[in-house]
Amino acid sequence: MKATLFTLFAVGGFLATSIASPLAVEKRQDIDAIETSLETLLTQIQEQTELINSTLTPVADAAPEADAEAVAEQIAPQLDVIADLLDKSANIAKRAILDGRYVKEDIFRTVSIILYELLGTVKFILIKLGLGPVLFHLVPLILALVKTLKALDKVVDGLLFAVKFIADDLLKAVGLGLLGLLP
């Protein structure tokens, strides 16, 4: 009886393993694909900010409104791409964190670098063009950034506290730009 029961469990285990194996491989590939999602997000954002910075470098500080409008239209696609990247990355990064692929320090570091990258670019845009010409493109970017930070903070306790000062600087830069729009 014991031998029959043992044989039944062994055969059942073999069947379960052979059926679940393709699913386990597929899940593992999915985890590997999202494992580097924060690093990939950082790289993609850096590519877009590099394009923005190269477009803005030849522009004079506080460019005349007509010139600022023309340059704002040139960098608008990159700002939209960054907003889309942030918007799509919230759930992917959240899944990667839930799967235990990151430790808190890695998340804090990567998110801080992303915020510094965006802070530097937004400040550079504001110095060169002012807020008026790019306001409609910065709002979706800021909203997507807030959504991403909130999604990650639900999974990583203390994330917002850790990156609060960088996020405050970014929002302050945009807020000061808004004050400059007042007559």
Side-chain angles (χ1 to χ4, degrees):
M1 179 73 175
K2 287 182 184 179
T4 306
L5 189 60
F6 179 71
T7 306
L8 180 65
F9 283 130
V11 171
F14 175 73
L15 287 174
T17 304
S18 62
I19 292 171
S21 182
L23 297 175
V25 169
E26 184 178 315
K27 183 175 182 184
R28 179 70 211 166
Q29 289 172 342
D30 186 39
I31 290 172
D32 288 341
I34 63 176
E35 180 178 20
T36 58
S37 61
L38 287 175
E39 287 85 6
T40 303
L41 175 65
L42 173 60
T43 303
Q44 291 171 336
I45 287 176
Q46 286 174 333
E47 290 169 359
Q48 297 303 315
T49 57
E50 185 178 309
L51 291 171
I52 291 171
N53 292 340
S54 66
T55 303
L56 291 175
T57 300
V59 177
D61 290 356
E65 193 169 332
D67 293 342
E69 296 273 338
V71 174
E73 289 303 316
Q74 288 178 348
I75 64 170
Q78 285 83 30
L79 292 173
D80 294 339
V81 167
I82 293 172
D84 288 341
L85 288 170
L86 287 169
D87 202 32
K88 292 175 185 173
S89 71
N91 292 330
I92 294 171
K94 185 176 174 182
R95 281 182 46 208
I97 293 165
L98 285 173
D99 287 337
R101 306 305 295 173
Y102 290 101
V103 294
K104 264 188 175 181
E105 292 76 23
D106 292 339
I107 297 166
F108 291 164
R109 180 186 56 79
T110 306
V111 171
S112 295
I113 293 170
I114 289 170
L115 286 173
Y116 274 124
E117 185 75 26
L118 292 174
L119 175 63
T121 301
V122 167
K123 283 185 174 183
F124 193 51
I125 290 170
L126 295 177
I127 289 169
K128 294 290 188 170
L129 307 178
L131 185 61
V134 292
L135 178 62
F136 292 111
H137 299 288
L138 283 179
V139 170
L141 182 129
I142 299 295
L143 292 176
L145 179 63
V146 168
K147 178 183 172 186
T148 302
L149 290 177
K150 282 183 177 181
L152 293 176
D153 187 58
K154 289 179 183 175
V155 180
V156 181
D157 292 332
L159 176 69
L160 286 179
F161 184 74
V163 298
K164 175 188 181 304
F165 299 106
I166 308 167
D168 284 348
D169 280 348
L170 180 61
L171 295 174
K172 187 168 90 176
V174 174
L176 290 174
L178 284 172
L179 286 176
L181 291 177
L182 295 176

